[in-house]
Amino acid sequence: MIKRKVVIYTIIAISICISAFYFFSTNQTNSITALEDVNVKNLDVIQQLESPDEKHKLTIYLTGGVFMKSDYSYIGQLSSKDKKEKEKFILWLPGEPFIIKWINNKEILVNQKQININSENYDFRNM
């Protein structure tokens, strides 16, 4: 009986250590407080959409959650071929299927919501 308790406590302790190591060693968490805080260098590109005039490109990235990447979401970064305009994040989508398409050169449709790329953001937490 005592050996069984020791084995169970050992397994629990090892699980806690592995979880803590993973939590502190990963650089891809979903603890984003603002879209501007995102570093896309280590994120996976899911989709890229060019505007009809090909002057803008919307890149959708997958950002993983804290534990085993189970709590994930998508973020959208807008870039321009005009180097005067800096890249900016305009989308934050939940981890579920989505539909995005360009309506015209200045607007996109995100899950049936129209977004002006110059003045609006889509953040699922505020919908």
Side-chain angles (χ1 to χ4, degrees), residues 23-83:
F23 177 77
F24 290 112
S25 68
T26 184
N27 61 358
Q28 214 178 24
T29 66
N30 213 9
S31 60
I32 303 167
T33 56
L35 288 172
E36 294 79 25
D37 295 340
V38 178
N39 180 357
V40 297
K41 290 180 185 174
N42 296 324
L43 299 181
D44 295 326
V45 174
I46 301 301
Q47 187 176 17
Q48 292 185 326
L49 304 160
E50 270 195 309
S51 62
D53 65 1
E54 299 180 355
K55 290 184 179 180
H56 293 91
K57 180 173 65 173
L58 179 63
T59 305
I60 308 298
Y61 296 94
L62 173 67
T63 178
V66 174
F67 185 69
M68 302 300 286
K69 311 283 189 258
S70 61
D71 179 24
Y72 64 96
S73 60
Y74 301 100
I75 54 174
Q77 183 180 43
L78 183 69
S79 57
S80 174
K81 289 186 178 178
D82 179 8
K83 299 300 179 189

Side-chain angles (χ1 to χ4, degrees), residues 80-125:
S80 174
K81 289 186 178 178
D82 179 8
K83 299 300 179 189
K84 294 177 184 175
E85 291 183 46
K86 68 178 196 170
E87 296 175 335
K88 64 180 181 177
F89 292 101
I90 62 169
L91 299 175
W92 193 350
L93 302 163
E96 36 191 70
F98 59 86
I99 298 171
I100 299 173
K101 63 181 178 180
W102 286 91
I103 298 172
N104 56 47
N105 295 324
K106 299 295 178 192
E107 296 175 314
I108 56 174
L109 193 63
V110 181
N111 294 337
Q112 304 303 317
K113 180 162 175 42
Q114 192 168 328
I115 305 293
N116 183 308
I117 63 170
N118 295 319
S119 61
E120 297 178 294
N121 289 340
Y122 182 96
D123 187 337
F124 74 95
R125 301 170 303 163

